[in-house]
Amino acid sequence: MRKMIIIYSVFIGLAFGCKPTKLSNPCDVKSKDYFYGTLIRFVTEDRSPSCYPSFDFQNLWGVFKPTPPSIITSVNAMTSYNDQIIVGGSFQFVGPSTGGAVYLETATGKVLPHRYCPYLKVVGGTQTAISDGSGGFYIGGSFFWVQGEERYGLAHILPGCQLDRNFNVPKDISREVRALLLMGDSLYVGGLFPTWSDSNQKFLVRLNRYTGAIDNSFNANVDPAASGVFDLETDGQALYVCGDFTSIGGGAQRGIAKLSFHSGSLFSSFSPIITSGTCLDLYYGTDANGSPNFFVGGDFLATYNYAFSIFPDGTLTTWNPGPNGQVNSIQQYNNTIYLGGQFTLVGVSAAANFASVNNGTGGIITANYNVDGNVASLGVLEDTLYLSGSFTSIKSVVRNYMAALSLPSESVNAFNPNFDGFISNPGSDFVLAGNGVVFVTTSIRSTVNVLPRSNFAVFDEVTGAPIEGTPYFNNPIKTLHRIDNRLFAGGYFTNVAGQPRNAFAILEFPHYQLSPINTVLSGSPEIRTITSDESQIYVGGTSLANVNGQVRNGAFALSLSDLSLSGWNPNLNGSGENFLVVNDLVFLGGLYTGINGDGVTTSYQAVDKLTGTKRNIPSTTNFPNSGVYAQAVVGSRIFLGGQFTTIGSVGTFNNIAVYNLANQSYEQPNPVYGDGIVNHIAAYSDGNVLIGGSFTGLNGATENYSFGVFNSNTNTVSPWISGFNDVVYTSMYKNGKYYLGGAFSNALKRSNGGLVRSSLNE
């Protein structure tokens, strides 16, 4: 009927000499409909089939564990299913790899989406931030990279979440910036740095706010034996310095000082007496009469019970709250002063870590906010008080390490960033970014908005975010292997999704449900490798001796037809670490001293893939002198890696060797070697052989720390510098990108929590 109406309209138009109305084609790239359709597709992240272009929204999330950082967090294994990336490892949370400075929505604490506000991905600690007055920020800390570019302890972030490439300071890996103050065209910088570039200035410098160049006309002459400058404030007339020093500005003064903005010289008339301890925080506020003063917090017990206030001339006021422990941060809202720190009493009132007092005498207002951990930082922005620390609840409301109270009611509001671990002093800075956004520094934290995932997670390939409904594993996963609609997992877990599974489990797609099939491994084994051919699944591990009631030492196989235990039994005297199927052979890499009970074969050998009977390949007498942990086949060559340094009498092979299947010999000279343990080798169709481990270099090139790319076509190591700071354990190639997983927290010169996507040329 619609077609008839259109035809009739065209006929009438022609009959009366009128042109027909031009029909809109929404798929015409020149049309407004196409423009608006494309825009909507971008904003809504629409991925349905369409004539509109597709967008890559992915910012791959990372994996994390709570502090202390010494707890190893890692992605150990990886595979995929449809448009999902599957990872297993040792972790408790997943979260966006943002780095230690983030833009958060004030209403919820959610991080701004990466596609609208690119993550800063700061590598290192971020301790402080201030507004630049134009919608951007200066950030300070002990970092080395920001958005993939070198920045050492200090950077300028422009509006739009982009690094200012015109502002830069000299390289210094020991620099830690703890305090910033902007006055006119000058940026005052305090912290822990015994030098700044080639000047003799220590702990406090003045820089050009646009370029980062030092201004040597200002020299504060901070005590060379000082521990540092921790806060800077001003009353508009002078620069007030808080820290750990005994002389500054050309005179003797401890802990807090008043300096000339212009020269850095000391106002000698300003001389509050501090006999011990360190000034940690200064807040410029007002007393009960509206007179300006400085509220001071620190750890100077012997002088003023951790908190006091002074007038701008240095005269001590009557304000004396009397906390019995360290005060890390002080803020003011109207006539209320908030104290955060590590104390249990304020005056005679029990007050754990957080309290409010009046700005007249310091008398207690509210003592019990029910904060269950230390408070590292406070920030009052408009009618909201933000706080961070080691707490997990406040006023009986769950808040992991950061929270916000609405003022003046002091009710816990909906702001809930949910970090992965505690934030310690010097903690955080909070700066308004406008439009319902707060800019937050988080010290050593490198993620936010974390979600619980226990050792297993599945990420959407397009967005990089985790999907819901995946099972938990109570202990780490070491290996994953997918066959059609089944996923096989190995590790040293004993429980999966609330059901017993000892080191080996089977999940069924598409919903990752635990299979009722339970292959029973006795004792306390750890499964480290799983692979397959057209008829069997081959499994290896350590402390493995019994499967489904039958003896299987170090290795076993299941029939693919019904997942029953097969007769394949190489009977390893030790552990099976990595298995590789090539034609009718299974190459067994491991840390063992016998196959089929021979007590001779060590760490690497091929066996028949039906029975597990030893073959004399690669050799009957020459074996690696230590473990083989990784293998990959490239055409007629097998690359193997591990912890060995020799292979029998063949020669020296430092952690990597290449076995040629065609002539059944190890290649000499060895085309690639490492100076440390190799944990991962994977080969891809472009000739790239990806090598990961705990080495510092490949073929003598020390820039290949923990990871390198060897091209099997050219027999050369790529000069590309990946920027990994720890071991790479696994990799995968999918839709034109390499996915890399491991124990690293930094990769590609950016903060990345154990997981990164790369083109291997960034």
Side-chain angles (χ1 to χ4, degrees):
M1 182 68 180
R2 183 180 179 189
K3 185 181 291 185
M4 292 290 292
I5 293 173
I6 292 173
I7 293 172
Y8 178 76
S9 299
V10 172
F11 174 77
I12 293 296
L14 291 173
F16 287 92
C18 298
K19 292 183 179 180
T21 303
K22 187 176 181 179
L23 300 179
S24 174
N25 177 8
C27 289
D28 179 0
V29 296
K30 297 180 180 179
S31 69
K32 289 183 178 180
D33 287 342
Y34 185 87
F35 171 77
Y36 291 127
T38 300
L39 184 62
I40 292 171
R41 188 171 172 85
F42 174 82
V43 171
T44 61
E45 299 184 19
D46 181 19
R47 291 177 280 143
S48 62
S50 173
C51 62
Y52 301 129
S54 295
F55 295 93
D56 184 355
F57 299 113
Q58 192 200 88
N59 186 72
L60 192 62
W61 284 32
V63 302
F64 303 90
K65 273 188 178 181
T67 43
S70 58
I71 298 176
I72 295 175
T73 305
S74 63
V75 170
N76 300 327
M78 190 184 311
T79 187
S80 68
Y81 173 75
N82 292 341
D83 59 351
Q84 295 171 345
I85 309 300
I86 306 166
V87 302
S90 176
F91 52 87
Q92 294 180 20
F93 302 112
V94 294
S97 295
T98 59
V102 289
Y103 295 78
L104 303 177
E105 296 177 359
T106 56
T108 63
K110 296 296 183 184
V111 65
L112 293 190
H114 176 70
R115 67 184 189 276
Y116 299 134
C117 179
Y119 298 156
L120 298 182
K121 286 188 170 287
V122 177
V123 174
T126 312
Q127 278 83 30
T128 187
I130 59 169
S131 170
D132 68 358
S134 302
F137 304 90
Y138 292 94
I139 60 173
S142 53
F143 50 80
F144 313 105
W145 300 88
V146 179
Q147 288 185 337
E149 297 204 20
E150 283 189 337
R151 288 296 185 275
Y152 290 88
L154 185 63
H156 182 216
I157 310 303
L158 297 168
C161 318
Q162 295 288 346
L163 177 70
D164 180 358
R165 286 164 176 81
N166 294 318
F167 180 91
N168 206 348
V169 296
K171 179 177 180 177
D172 185 346
I173 60 174
S174 66
R175 179 183 299 133
E176 181 176 342
V177 171
R178 296 278 290 270
L180 298 169
L181 181 71
L182 191 63
M183 286 293 289
D185 290 340
S186 296
L187 178 67
Y188 294 84
V189 180
L192 288 71
F193 43 87
T195 62
W196 192 280
S197 185
D198 56 355
S199 75
N200 62 354
Q201 299 194 45
K202 309 176 191 308
F203 308 118
L204 178 61
V205 294
R206 181 169 68 187
L207 308 180
N208 181 291
R209 65 172 293 180
Y210 303 106
T211 66
I214 191 169
D215 181 353
N216 284 307
S217 66
F218 175 92
N219 192 341
N221 289 304
V222 183
D223 174 12
S227 294
V229 168
F230 303 139
D231 200 10
L232 298 171
E233 268 289 3
T234 183
D235 60 355
Q237 305 301 314
L239 176 67
Y240 293 81
V241 184
C242 163
D244 181 12
F245 48 81
T246 57
S247 66
I248 189 172
Q253 183 64 52
R254 185 184 184 100
I256 181 170
K258 180 180 180 180
L259 304 183
S260 163
F261 268 129
H262 305 292
S263 65
S265 60
L266 180 70
F267 284 84
S268 57
S269 60
F270 179 92
S271 56
I273 299 173
I274 299 175
T275 59
S276 66
T278 301
C279 177
L280 297 175
D281 193 38
L282 274 180
Y283 182 84
Y284 182 57
T286 56
D287 64 13
N289 298 317
S291 299
N293 63 0
F294 288 92
F295 296 94
V296 187
D299 65 355
F300 21 68
L301 169 63
T303 309
Y304 299 120
N305 283 346
Y306 302 102
F308 63 94
S309 75
I310 52 175
F311 291 114
D313 63 1
T315 305
L316 186 68
T317 75
T318 58
W319 187 79
N320 184 21
N324 70 337
Q326 180 172 303
V327 173
N328 295 323
S329 189
I330 300 178
Q331 290 283 289
Q332 180 173 11
Y333 180 78
N334 295 333
N335 290 324
T336 300
I337 305 297
Y338 292 95
L339 307 176
Q342 297 152 230
F343 46 79
T344 58
L345 294 172
V346 172
V348 296
S349 301
N353 308 309
F354 181 51
S356 59
V357 299
N358 67 51
N359 66 335
T361 63
I364 195 78
I365 297 176
T366 303
N368 185 15
Y369 289 90
N370 199 16
V371 178
D372 66 348
N374 295 337
V375 173
S377 299
L378 301 172
V380 172
L381 304 178
E382 296 180 337
D383 292 328
T384 303
L385 170 63
Y386 296 91
L387 61 164
S388 67
S390 62
F391 54 84
T392 57
S393 69
I394 178 170
K395 301 184 81 168
S396 301
V397 179
V398 173
R399 287 293 183 268
N400 289 321
Y401 316 116
M402 189 173 287
L405 306 183
S406 296
L407 300 176
S409 69
E410 297 184 344
S411 59
V412 181
N413 64 29
F415 180 81
N416 185 17
N418 197 31
F419 287 94
D420 59 322
F422 65 76
I423 298 171
S424 58
N425 190 56
S428 308
D429 262 338
F430 307 91
V431 188
L432 281 179
N435 298 319
V437 175
V438 62
F439 183 74
V440 175
T441 61
T442 59
S443 191
I444 62 169
R445 303 266 62 84
S446 55
T447 186
V448 67
N449 301 162
V450 297
L451 298 174
R453 293 290 187 277
S454 184
N455 304 306
F456 181 79
V458 180
F459 298 95
D460 184 284
E461 184 184 358
V462 176
T463 66
I467 70 167
E468 297 293 332
T470 53
Y472 73 83
F473 288 68
N474 71 324
N475 279 312
I477 291 170
K478 289 290 187 175
T479 182
L480 294 170
H481 185 69
R482 179 195 159 197
I483 305 175
D484 298 327
N485 288 321
R486 284 188 172 128
L487 178 66
F488 298 85
Y492 56 96
F493 47 83
T494 58
N495 191 288
V496 180
Q499 299 186 47
R501 291 292 187 275
N502 191 17
F504 184 78
I506 305 169
L507 303 180
E508 296 180 346
F509 295 117
H511 301 302
Y512 299 92
Q513 294 173 320
L514 184 66
S515 170
I517 299 172
N518 184 11
T519 303
V520 179
L521 280 59
S522 301
S524 301
E526 179 180 311
I527 297 303
R528 294 180 175 177
T529 183
I530 303 173
T531 190
S532 65
D533 60 15
E534 67 282 354
S535 62
Q536 293 190 106
I537 305 160
Y538 304 92
V539 183
T542 185
S543 302
L544 173 64
N546 190 288
V547 180
N548 287 349
Q550 298 187 44
V551 174
R552 291 293 187 273
N553 290 312
F556 69 92
L558 304 177
S559 171
L560 270 180
S561 60
D562 60 3
L563 298 180
S564 62
L565 185 68
S566 80
W568 185 80
N569 184 13
N571 190 25
L572 300 180
N573 183 29
S575 65
E577 301 284 339
N578 186 276
F579 296 167
L580 177 68
V581 178
V582 181
N583 299 323
D584 63 343
L585 301 175
V586 182
F587 285 81
L588 307 181
L591 191 59
Y592 53 82
T593 56
I595 292 181
N596 305 145
D598 66 7
V600 174
T601 308
T602 303
S603 297
Y604 193 63
Q605 192 71 1
V607 300
D608 183 276
K609 73 174 187 177
L610 296 179
T611 65
T613 303
K614 173 184 170 182
R615 298 285 189 86
N616 294 326
I617 301 172
S619 174
T620 58
T621 57
N622 292 308
F623 309 112
N625 68 329
S626 192
V628 173
Y629 305 138
Q631 299 180 76
V633 63
V634 185
S636 62
R637 309 158 84 192
I638 296 177
F639 287 73
L640 55 145
Q643 199 172 1
F644 53 87
T645 55
T646 62
I647 298 180
S649 62
V650 178
T652 299
F653 295 85
N654 288 329
N655 305 293
I656 306 172
V658 179
Y659 178 69
N660 193 304
L661 291 163
N663 58 30
Q664 295 190 358
S665 65
Y666 289 101
E667 294 188 2
Q668 287 278 47
N670 188 22
V672 58
Y673 57 89
D675 61 2
I677 300 172
V678 171
N679 301 96
H680 174 69
I681 295 180
Y684 296 96
S685 58
D686 55 6
N688 283 335
V689 179
L690 275 54
I691 303 171
S694 54
F695 49 82
T696 58
L698 295 177
N699 290 7
T702 56
E703 62 266 22
N704 299 118
Y705 188 87
S706 299
F707 181 77
V709 180
F710 178 82
N711 190 276
S712 62
N713 297 324
T714 62
N715 268 5
T716 58
V717 176
S718 168
W720 175 64
I721 301 174
S722 60
F724 285 91
N725 70 325
D726 212 331
V727 183
V728 173
Y729 287 125
T730 184
S731 68
M732 180 180 68
Y733 187 78
K734 195 169 192 293
N735 292 333
K737 294 286 186 179
Y738 289 93
Y739 290 81
L740 308 169
F744 53 84
S745 57
N746 306 327
L748 313 182
K749 306 170 187 175
R750 293 169 171 83
S751 177
N752 286 288
L755 193 59
V756 69
R757 185 177 69 156
S758 173
S759 298
L760 305 185
N761 58 12
E762 294 92 335

